[in-house]
Amino acid sequence: PPISKLTPDQVMYHFISGYTAKVAGTEEGVLEPEATFSACFGAPFLVWHPSVYAEMLAAKLDKYGATAYLVNTGWVGGGYGVGDRCSLKYTRQLIDAIHDGTLAELPESEWEEMPIFGLKMPKNAIKDVPKEILRPEEAWVQAGQSKEAFEKQAKHLANLFQKNFVDFADKCSKEVKAAGPKV
């Protein structure tokens, strides 16, 4: 989803995973987006195991009572060639909703868990961002894709996460390991 509310264990899992994409125009030889992972979004620069940095991040969030949100500016309504990039207008609205407290003011009843990934996504529109954009499966269906196509792609991505996390799991708590996607 373009915006997800994370638990502390999900913060650690996703920070350690460092999921991003190589995108044409920013990476030599890349013609279409390609999933990639870089622990803590900076693997070449890490001195310690990524779990050390994730624990430091979680401690800071806990110390200051901060809520963490995962912002996804990737594709909505289908994969590359079918869907579109999440518009900058919507991304700005979501960042504004974090900064101005709109998301923090949403009661837990206004968040729903996304199947497979377990991420909490808003049940309704946020600012000017339509509900369908915030809910990946609905965005795919609205764009003419099938629920089955969405689920197939979600499972594929979940498998990439699981494969990537094998390298880090030995130093993580069972709660952090369980915070990742489930296929």
Side-chain angles (χ1 to χ4, degrees):
I3 190 83
S4 307
K5 182 178 177 182
L6 302 181
T7 67
D9 293 323
Q10 287 174 325
V11 168
M12 293 176 67
Y13 181 91
H14 287 281
F15 187 58
I16 290 169
S17 295
Y19 172 73
T20 189
K22 294 179 183 178
V23 181
T26 62
E27 299 279 342
E28 189 173 323
V30 175
L31 301 176
E32 60 183 62
E34 179 183 316
T36 190
F37 296 86
S38 181
C40 305
F41 303 97
F45 308 103
L46 302 183
V47 175
W48 299 308
H49 189 279
S51 64
V52 173
Y53 299 98
E55 288 171 9
M56 291 183 341
L57 174 59
K60 291 283 186 187
L61 292 170
D62 182 56
K63 179 178 178 178
Y64 295 103
T67 301
Y69 299 96
L70 181 62
V71 178
N72 176 5
T73 58
W75 298 95
V76 295
Y80 176 75
V82 177
D84 295 305
R85 289 293 306 255
C86 185
S87 79
L88 189 54
K89 173 187 172 186
Y90 292 156
T91 301
R92 285 182 179 141
Q93 288 288 305
L94 294 171
I95 298 300
D96 287 347
I98 293 169
H99 290 159
D100 70 17
T102 299
L103 293 178
E105 292 170 1
L106 285 179
E108 283 301 313
S109 62
E110 286 297 313
W111 295 90
E112 182 176 14
E113 188 173 297
M114 178 185 178
I116 300 174
F117 283 86
L119 300 169
K120 289 183 184 176
M121 56 188 179
K123 287 183 177 180
N124 296 297
I126 302 294
K127 294 191 172 274
D128 294 330
V129 184
K131 174 182 105 162
E132 296 77 22
I133 296 294
L134 299 172
R135 305 171 61 76
E137 184 178 301
E138 291 178 33
W140 277 53
V141 171
Q142 185 179 36
Q145 302 298 304
S146 69
K147 289 183 179 189
E148 294 77 20
F150 171 78
E151 189 172 302
K152 180 180 176 185
Q153 186 62 30
K155 286 180 179 178
H156 171 71
L157 183 57
N159 282 322
L160 293 177
F161 268 91
Q162 290 176 340
K163 182 180 175 188
N164 173 70
F165 207 77
V166 167
D167 294 337
F168 311 112
D170 65 323
K171 302 254 196 263
C172 295
S173 70
K174 64 181 180 171
E175 293 83 9
V176 171
K177 289 184 235 180
K182 294 159 189 64
V183 180

